Amino acid sequence: MSEPDNIGDRLRSLREGRSLTRGELADHSGMDIDLIEKLEHGRRSTARLTALTRLADALDVDVSRLLGGRSPGEGGTERAHGAPSDVRGIRDVRDVGDVVAAADSMPGVDADDAGEATDLAELNAAVDAAWRAYRAGNMTRLAGVLPSLIGEARLASSELGPSAAGPLAEAHQLAARLLVRYGRCALAEAAAERAIQAAEGGGDELEWETLHGTYSWTLLCEGRPRASEEHAVSIAARTEPAMDEAALRDLTVWGGLLLAAMAAASAAERTAPATEYLGLAGSAAHRFARDRLDYHVGFGPARVAREATHAYAMLHEPGLALRSAGDVHAGELSRTSYGRHLIDVARAQTEIRDLRAAEETLREAESLCAESFSPTGPACAVVSDVVVDVGHLTPELRRMARAVAVKA
């Protein structure tokens, strides 16, 4: 049986599968039965993300089931080569771009909506759920929810003022990070700029600094490493905390800016400044017993070691890269972050001509962050180098080569 192709049909199918009446679903979800009836009868084509989340929770499914994606445990949301699993995934990324481009309108908010701002606690919970999807590497799910989330956050910001600045800034920040992943760099920069503008209305200095770190990453995505480095350094310089007295969250944000500067410097093969930024970030990380997450920025010893591995791999210092990698352990990073770290390890292994180890590392990396194995993903160059240098291509290596569009 084919999957229902709109929210109303999917809602009805799930409700009937749970043997619930519309009234019972309304009671369980706390939603008005009128909304459920309009969705199921096609008189409304969508609803707010927070409303759909309530309905999904009452039906004991992930909200992606209502939005049309596969929920966790149903085969995943990405193909092995990293592209979205279906046409909807690609369309959703375009939808995110359209929402970012239409800054002065309210895309993502249903035209039939009453126009009242979403409860701030619910909105923050929706933003947190979107961050969890991002950290889990579930980009298709994130792309599906972001347009509505940005629309709700814009409406809340216009009605509630500074108290809703944070959710709006974070929704745009997520859009920037997602668009970077898909190579939509100009739109990612625009999203980061909107995030900064939103944060300025909220008065949270640390959040504002964090968003400048995201902006720096979008500049690097655009192939402007010097501008990316200079921007991150300028913000870090004006906010540098007292190393021995600063709160750990201050060091997290400041250290994150230094690591962004280091990534840009290493991309430009500027060894001296990259090493300097690494040393400063390492000094800050010595205050941490373990990594922590502040303002959705991870920082601590493991993050510094991971970024050092990346920098040294980019700077053609494979021995230093592999030495730094020895301080990085799978349990200290998210699944996606550890997978991308392994791509840097494979890069270093390739440079010292340990090609079989590089192939094995790439296989593990692909199992953790398949979205990186695409023609524009970070694994492309490493796979290409291994394919060129290895004497005999295994079936797995041939498959990876096809995924990144490298001629084997």
Side-chain angles (χ1 to χ4, degrees), residues 5-34:
D5 62 0
N6 60 68
I7 287 177
D9 288 345
R10 287 189 285 270
L11 178 61
R12 181 189 299 108
S13 176
L14 289 166
R15 177 180 60 77
E16 291 176 348
R18 300 297 189 275
S19 299
L20 294 174
T21 66
R22 293 191 184 100
E24 289 170 335
L25 178 57
D27 290 340
H28 292 334
S29 65
M31 300 306 302
D32 194 322
I33 191 173
D34 183 60

Side-chain angles (χ1 to χ4, degrees), residues 60-382:
D60 196 27
V61 297
D62 189 87
V63 70
S64 61
R65 289 288 298 276
L66 290 178
L67 292 170
R70 287 186 277 180
S71 63
E74 293 187 319
T77 55
E78 308 285 340
R79 294 187 187 185
H81 58 69
S85 60
D86 50 31
V87 175
R88 176 178 174 80
I90 298 171
R91 188 184 72 222
D92 284 343
V93 175
R94 292 174 180 160
D95 289 346
V96 174
D98 290 343
V99 170
V100 170
D104 297 326
S105 63
M106 287 290 178
V109 174
D110 185 11
D112 294 325
D113 199 289
E116 295 181 359
T118 300
D119 176 78
L120 201 53
E122 276 194 86
L123 185 58
N124 279 315
V127 171
D128 288 342
W131 275 111
R132 287 194 295 275
Y134 175 81
R135 287 194 290 271
N138 196 336
M139 300 303 146
T140 301
R141 182 188 188 284
L142 179 61
V145 303
L146 265 179
S148 179
L149 183 60
I150 292 173
E152 283 192 63
R154 282 179 178 161
L155 182 60
S157 180
S158 68
E159 291 199 8
L160 304 177
S163 64
L168 178 58
E170 290 183 36
H172 278 304
Q173 183 183 21
L174 279 162
R177 294 195 182 191
L178 176 72
L179 291 164
V180 164
R181 288 288 187 94
Y182 281 85
R184 305 290 297 277
C185 301
L187 282 171
E189 182 184 356
E193 288 174 345
R194 305 230 166 92
I196 292 169
Q197 291 168 2
E200 287 172 349
D204 189 328
E205 183 73 13
L206 287 176
E207 182 170 59
W208 180 85
E209 293 172 32
T210 299
L211 298 170
H212 278 280
T214 296
Y215 179 75
S216 178
W217 286 103
T218 68
L219 295 177
L220 183 57
C221 171
E222 289 187 289
R224 300 165 61 191
R226 196 59 182 266
S228 173
E229 177 188 346
E230 290 175 352
H231 187 80
V233 168
S234 68
I235 300 299
R238 63 181 281 181
T239 60
E240 181 174 357
M243 194 70 69
D244 295 331
E245 302 174 0
L248 290 182
R249 67 175 189 168
D250 294 333
L251 292 176
T252 292
V253 174
W254 183 70
L257 287 164
L258 290 174
L259 292 178
M262 184 186 71
S266 61
E269 299 190 9
R270 286 168 36 81
T271 303
T275 303
E276 178 185 355
Y277 305 141
L278 175 60
L280 290 169
S283 296
H286 284 154
R287 287 274 314 276
F288 292 66
R290 62 183 63 85
D291 281 26
R292 55 183 282 146
L293 192 70
D294 294 295
Y295 292 93
H296 303 288
V297 173
F299 187 75
R303 171 78 191 280
V304 170
R306 189 195 84 185
E307 296 298 338
T309 303
H310 173 75
Y312 286 133
M314 297 296 292
L315 293 168
H316 307 289
E317 294 282 358
L320 293 175
L322 294 173
R323 186 185 306 170
S324 297
D327 294 326
V328 181
H329 307 288
E332 297 171 323
L333 300 171
S334 71
R335 178 185 177 90
T336 302
S337 294
Y338 189 67
R340 292 170 75 89
H341 162 73
L342 290 177
I343 294 171
D344 290 318
V345 174
R347 188 190 304 274
Q349 290 168 333
T350 301
E351 194 150 354
I352 64 172
R353 310 288 298 169
D354 192 351
L355 300 176
R356 291 306 177 194
E359 180 184 348
E360 184 177 340
T361 302
L362 285 170
R363 284 202 302 268
E364 184 180 358
E366 187 184 29
S367 72
L368 298 172
C369 61
E371 74 275 3
S372 297
F373 286 74
S374 70
T376 59
C380 181
V382 186

